Each structure stands twice: as structure tokens, then as C-alpha cells.
Amino acid sequence: MLIIFLLFVGIMANGQNKLRMQDFESRLTDLIVKVAEAPTDNERYLASEQAVQLLSSALDEEESEKWRWKLPDYASVLTSPDGLFRIFTWAVVRDNGEFECFGAVQFYDEKEEEFIHLVLNDKSEDIMNREESVLSADKWMGAVYQELIQTSAGGHTYYTLLGWNGVDNITDRKIIEPVTIRNGRLQFGAPLFRRERNLRRIILEYSNAAAVNLSFETQYVQEVERKREKVKGTNRYHTVEKTKEHQEKMIIFDEVEPQVPGMEGLFQYYSPSGVEVAYSFVDGKWERRKGAQGRLTDKKLNKNFEPLPKSAPSYQFGTKNESK
């Protein structure tokens, strides 16, 4: 009888928890839609603030890390394959076209042996040396993240995020953001780029009229193999080069550069140079690979947001578009 009673109590508790999480999800869905569709800055910001508060309350719930969130495409929810890291992000678009990102992160604290969560504060415009700084949830290089890559080396787990920020009516950004968790401390930015000592993240800023790819997928790498071979009929040797091609999982993106001479640092003049840059994770580091070619089309990253109504600034997940 005691066993049956305990099972009944457990089932009731799980049922109540499920109902609470469903309620959180329903209310959060309504708020995220308001963040995107409300007609004024004040209404969009109010909805975003309420969404952050509601999400924090939801993440306080016991076993909230197990809940499979289904939110509108205006928001991004990414969970690591090991289930120990989850990040929620979305953007508020002001009437003047400027973006500000919001969200929260939930992760497992090995020291406390429990899941904790932190609210993300977008301080993008206040950060100096953006590509070299180690940041925190309270001082965050805001982005709406599109993909989460989990890697491991030397007994440590790393999470690398690929994100986008619409910035303003002039430029967009795409970001490669490594994340580490050590002794319960979460850090954005890490020295994981081999032979690039001071680099903690990669930021691509470019004209919002340009289309810039950033994706994590299996693509082609060409490698030149050099061998010394004996010249037939002689005692001399010469070097023979052979090009080999193989497929490899990598982060691949378009290099951007100013298209007008003398405009270095003025990102409204930046667009793809025609060169593709790729990084593979090798021995605990993202290593730049030469000869990468993004030719496969079976997986495309830049997932679209749902179209927004004419009353709100219209944008997509990773690209801006005209109001529909």
C-alpha cells in the first residue's frame, strides 16, 4: 500500500509540474509574439521584460531543464546534446531599426550539483575589444543564436554558439561565440582559436544589404600533398603535388572586407570578399582550414523567423527583409 501511495503521489506531482510548465510555455509564447508584433517600442520592450521575468520563474521550477520548449520562431531555444546547457534568445527591434537582444541561459553547476539560470544583458555597444574580451551573462555580446555546437577535449566540454544581431539599419553582425563553464562560472568567449592568441570570438560585421553565410556543416576541404619522386631514367628527384579532397564537419563562413578603398572599420561598406573561411575542431581548438569549399546544399543554417506584420519592424532569423 505504501509503494502504491508513493507512486500515486509521484504521478500527481509530475502531472502538476507538467501543467505548470505548459502554462509557462503558453504565456511565454504570447509574450514573444508581442515582442515581435506589438506596434510601439514601449509595448515591445514591456513584453520582453515580462518574458524575461516569466522565463526566470519557469526555470526556477523543479526539473525545468527537462522541459522541451516549443516557442514561436521569433525566439531561439538551443539545448546542448548532453542536456547540461540551454540558451534562450530573442530580439527587440526599435522603430528606428536598432536591435537589442534578450534572453536567459540555464546550465548545470557541478560545484552545487544543480541547474541554475542567469538572465542575459546585452551590452554590445559598451564592449571594447569585442573579439578579445571574456564576457559574462551580465555583460553579454547580444545575439540571437542559430546553432549550438558541443565539443570536448582534455576532459573539458565546450559549447560554441553561432548567432546573428541585426544591429541597425546600416549593418548586421554574425558571431562565433565559444562558451565555457568552470567551477559554476559561465563565460562567453574563450581562447579556442589555434594560432590566434588574443581571439576570444569571431565577429563579422557588414552592410545589411549583403548576404553573409555562417554555418556548421559537412563541407569539402582540398589539401595539397607533396611527394618527392625520382625522375624516370635519371638519378634526380622532383616534387610532385597532388590535390586531395575530403569531407569534414566545420564552421564555414564568408570573409568580409570593405568594398571601397580606405573604408576599413566602416562596416556599412563591408561585404563578402569571395573567400570562404573554415574552422574544424582539432585537439581542443578551432583550427583554421585552408582550401575549404562550401559546395554542399543539403543543410542551410539561416532559418527564417515567421513574417511580421506591417505594423512592426520586419526581420528574419539571420537576415532582415522588407515588411510583408
Side-chain angles (χ1 to χ4, degrees):
M1 290 294 292
L2 178 60
I3 293 172
I4 293 173
F5 175 75
L6 292 175
L7 286 172
F8 176 76
V9 170
I11 292 170
M12 288 294 292
N14 287 336
Q16 291 173 353
N17 181 265
K18 181 178 179 181
L19 289 173
R20 286 197 300 273
M21 294 305 295
Q22 286 175 335
D23 180 59
F24 279 123
E25 184 174 88
S26 177
R27 289 189 286 155
L28 191 58
T29 293
D30 291 342
L31 288 169
I32 292 298
V33 171
K34 287 181 181 178
V35 167
E37 298 184 1
T40 68
D41 282 357
N42 286 341
E43 290 173 283
R44 290 191 288 275
Y45 269 100
L46 177 60
S48 186
E49 290 169 8
Q50 292 173 337
V52 169
Q53 293 171 5
L54 185 64
L55 179 57
S56 293
S57 296
L59 298 180
D60 278 333
E61 288 289 319
E62 187 176 354
E63 296 189 336
S64 63
E65 71 278 0
K66 296 180 181 179
W67 185 252
R68 296 185 178 182
W69 291 88
K70 295 179 181 178
L71 296 178
D73 281 347
Y74 301 126
S76 166
V77 184
L78 300 177
T79 304
S80 62
D82 62 11
L84 301 180
F85 178 83
R86 177 180 282 167
I87 190 161
F88 305 75
T89 50
W90 62 85
V92 171
V93 190
R94 302 181 187 129
D95 289 335
N96 64 5
E98 293 178 350
F99 278 60
E100 185 174 355
C101 297
F102 294 84
V105 60
Q106 183 181 40
F107 61 94
Y108 184 70
D109 183 344
E110 290 184 349
K111 186 177 180 181
E112 300 296 330
E113 297 184 341
E114 64 180 2
F115 278 86
I116 63 174
H117 69 272
L118 301 169
V119 171
L120 298 170
N121 292 303
D122 185 351
K123 300 294 183 182
S124 302
E125 303 312 310
D126 300 330
I127 297 168
M128 304 295 290
N129 301 321
R130 289 172 176 163
E131 291 193 317
E132 300 177 4
S133 299
V134 176
L135 304 173
S136 64
D138 196 49
K139 187 179 181 182
W140 168 56
M141 190 71 199
V144 181
Y145 295 117
Q146 300 170 295
E147 188 143 354
L148 189 162
I149 306 159
Q150 179 180 315
T151 52
S152 60
H156 294 298
T157 299
Y158 304 97
Y159 307 107
T160 301
L161 299 164
L162 307 186
W164 167 80
N165 187 327
V167 188
D168 53 32
N169 282 325
I170 300 174
T171 65
D172 284 7
R173 288 189 197 117
K174 290 195 174 179
I175 301 173
I176 303 174
E177 182 78 78
V179 178
T180 58
I181 302 169
R182 298 285 184 273
N183 300 317
R185 292 185 59 193
L186 177 137
Q187 292 185 336
F188 289 91
L192 294 185
F193 300 95
R194 181 167 282 121
R195 287 183 288 276
E196 298 178 75
R197 186 165 56 91
N198 295 322
L199 196 63
R200 300 294 186 273
R201 67 182 53 77
I202 293 173
I203 300 175
L204 309 172
E205 189 158 356
Y206 53 91
S207 166
N208 69 350
V212 174
N213 176 63
L214 169 62
S215 58
F216 180 65
E217 54 192 84
T218 300
Q219 287 291 0
Y220 285 95
V221 175
Q222 290 184 344
E223 293 182 341
V224 177
E225 185 180 78
R226 293 178 175 83
K227 288 185 177 180
R228 283 175 56 80
E229 292 184 357
K230 190 173 183 180
V231 178
K232 189 175 180 180
T234 72
N235 290 323
R236 293 183 292 107
Y237 288 82
H238 67 155
T239 300
V240 177
E241 293 186 352
K242 294 182 180 180
T243 301
K244 291 187 175 182
E245 189 173 76
H246 67 276
Q247 292 183 22
E248 191 173 308
K249 197 82 169 179
M250 65 184 76
I251 297 173
I252 189 164
F253 58 92
D254 295 315
E255 177 187 76
V256 295
E257 64 181 17
Q259 298 303 301
V260 179
M263 293 299 177
E264 288 75 12
L266 297 175
F267 297 110
Q268 64 266 37
Y269 297 104
Y270 279 57
S271 62
S273 67
V275 175
E276 288 181 306
V277 181
Y279 284 88
S280 300
F281 197 79
V282 180
D283 298 328
K285 299 281 186 180
W286 287 109
E287 182 172 333
R288 188 160 177 162
R289 301 303 303 268
K290 294 181 179 179
Q293 298 184 28
R295 294 189 278 116
L296 298 181
T297 58
D298 60 332
K299 179 182 177 185
K300 291 298 179 185
L301 175 63
N302 297 319
K303 165 186 170 184
N304 290 337
F305 280 119
E306 292 294 320
L308 300 183
K310 292 181 180 179
S311 59
S314 184
Y315 64 96
Q316 295 177 313
F317 202 141
T319 57
K320 297 173 191 169
N321 67 318
E322 295 298 321
S323 295
K324 296 183 180 181

